[in-house]
Amino acid sequence: MTIRDATADDIPAILPLVRKVAAFMQDRDPHKYTIEGDVGERYRNWLGGQIASGRSAILIADAAGRDDPPAIVGMLIGTVDREIPIYRLKEYGFINDLWVDETYRNEGVARQLVTEAIERFTRLGVEQIRLDVLLTNEPARKLFETCGFRPSVMEMLLPIEPVPST
């Protein structure tokens, strides 16, 4: 298994994994994660810009051999985001998405992706890395805790039904 930077050529192979993350999140909490349209297509150009910026951690787990075409079985999408101007911290790393195909889970692939993202954000000079994890996603919570993350805030959500117009 090779953990490496994603390239623009990898984007078509990353998009199915993005779709899986989105479907998982929408299934677990449809009020928070209601997806419009094809999330993969919506990511396509954005990912290209993030990769080109050099200020991100877009990583893939490639299970192919040295001379084989890429076999992308996992990915992590991390960005450098700006903090609002009232805080000393100006920017932070944010892990937006993490996915490993089911057949490669429990083999340390996700941990390798997170570890590499931490190293990448450190090299980019950020002082903090954040992420969101569903309260019901115990495996992900345990993974992130063993990688050094700690709970910080608890986001709360109140769905409000639209008021019919008269």
Side-chain angles (χ1 to χ4, degrees):
M1 185 70 55
T2 303
I3 306 300
R4 64 176 175 81
D5 290 323
T7 67
D9 291 339
D10 294 318
I11 292 174
I14 294 171
L15 298 182
L17 303 183
V18 167
R19 290 181 183 104
K20 289 180 180 183
V21 170
F24 176 83
M25 301 298 279
Q26 186 167 322
D27 181 59
R28 293 287 180 99
D29 192 343
H31 288 288
K32 168 123 174 124
Y33 301 102
T34 303
I35 308 298
E36 284 189 338
D38 182 348
V39 70
E41 288 308 310
R42 296 176 74 130
Y43 260 64
R44 183 182 301 277
N45 289 336
W46 178 78
L47 272 176
Q50 289 296 319
I51 290 169
S53 77
R55 298 273 304 153
S56 63
I58 314 295
L59 306 169
I60 58 172
D62 189 343
R66 184 177 305 253
D67 297 324
D68 299 322
I72 297 173
V73 300
M75 59 88 184
L76 182 144
I77 299 173
T79 55
V80 176
D81 294 347
R82 299 221 29 95
E83 182 58 272
I84 63 173
I86 63 171
Y87 297 112
R88 178 197 62 79
L89 188 72
K90 302 300 179 214
E91 60 183 13
Y92 55 91
F94 191 83
I95 296 176
N96 298 276
D97 299 302
L98 172 64
W99 188 263
V100 175
D101 276 345
E102 293 84 356
T103 55
Y104 289 88
R105 291 189 184 158
N106 300 310
E107 295 181 16
V109 177
R111 180 178 315 282
Q112 290 177 59
L113 286 163
V114 172
T115 300
E116 180 58 33
I118 293 168
E119 291 174 12
R120 174 66 39 81
F121 284 130
T122 300
R123 287 193 302 270
L124 289 172
V126 299
E127 298 177 28
Q128 188 179 96
I129 304 169
R130 301 176 187 173
L131 56 86
D132 294 331
V133 62
L134 289 167
L135 292 174
T136 59
N137 191 346
E138 188 66 25
R141 287 180 38 222
K142 286 182 180 179
L143 166 70
F144 292 122
E145 287 174 358
T146 62
C147 290
F149 290 84
R150 65 167 176 79
S152 174
V153 300
M154 184 172 81
E155 180 179 61
M156 299 176 74
L157 183 132
L158 173 66
I160 299 176
E161 294 298 320
V163 177
S165 58
T166 55

